Amino acid sequence: MIRFFLKVLFGIGLLFFGVLIGIQEANNGLLKMKGYEDPNFKDAFTIQYDEEKGYKATIFGESVAKKDLEEKREQLEDIATFNFFTEMAKKIGHFIMGIFNKSS
């Protein structure tokens, strides 16, 4: 089962990077067709090395940092979201378990 999940995750990751490469190639094609550099066209995915800050990645012109990802994860954990379908499934599960527990 774990091998299956690893294969699926690898496939999804491979397809994701394939999409990024395709977007980058489309951007390069637009630049060749246009004939000149336009600062409004940004690369789909770039990695730059800075001696002071280390590696810096950008996706669609937006900077991606480990600190940003950790802040977003903390924000998601802080938000107490209510999922209607999950709550209904829990109630139905408890109801069915109650029926089978009473009959046995």
Side-chain angles (χ1 to χ4, degrees), residues 28-74:
N28 291 339
L30 286 172
L31 289 175
K32 286 179 185 177
M33 184 176 68
K34 199 168 192 181
Y36 61 92
E37 294 276 335
D38 188 359
N40 293 330
F41 285 139
K42 296 186 173 126
D43 292 336
F45 182 75
T46 59
I47 298 176
Q48 298 173 344
Y49 180 72
D50 185 12
E51 292 183 14
E52 296 174 5
K53 298 179 181 178
Y55 287 101
K56 179 182 174 185
T58 57
I59 297 177
F60 300 119
E62 303 257 342
S63 177
V64 177
K66 185 176 180 182
K67 183 179 177 183
D68 296 337
L69 296 175
E70 289 175 359
E71 288 175 3
K72 288 180 183 179
R73 182 183 54 82
E74 289 175 4

Side-chain angles (χ1 to χ4, degrees), residues 62-94:
E62 303 257 342
S63 177
V64 177
K66 185 176 180 182
K67 183 179 177 183
D68 296 337
L69 296 175
E70 289 175 359
E71 288 175 3
K72 288 180 183 179
R73 182 183 54 82
E74 289 175 4
Q75 287 177 353
L76 288 175
E77 288 176 354
D78 291 341
I79 298 172
T81 59
F82 176 76
N83 190 342
F84 174 73
F85 296 109
T86 303
E87 292 299 318
M88 289 304 294
K90 286 180 183 178
K91 289 179 183 179
I92 291 171
H94 288 299

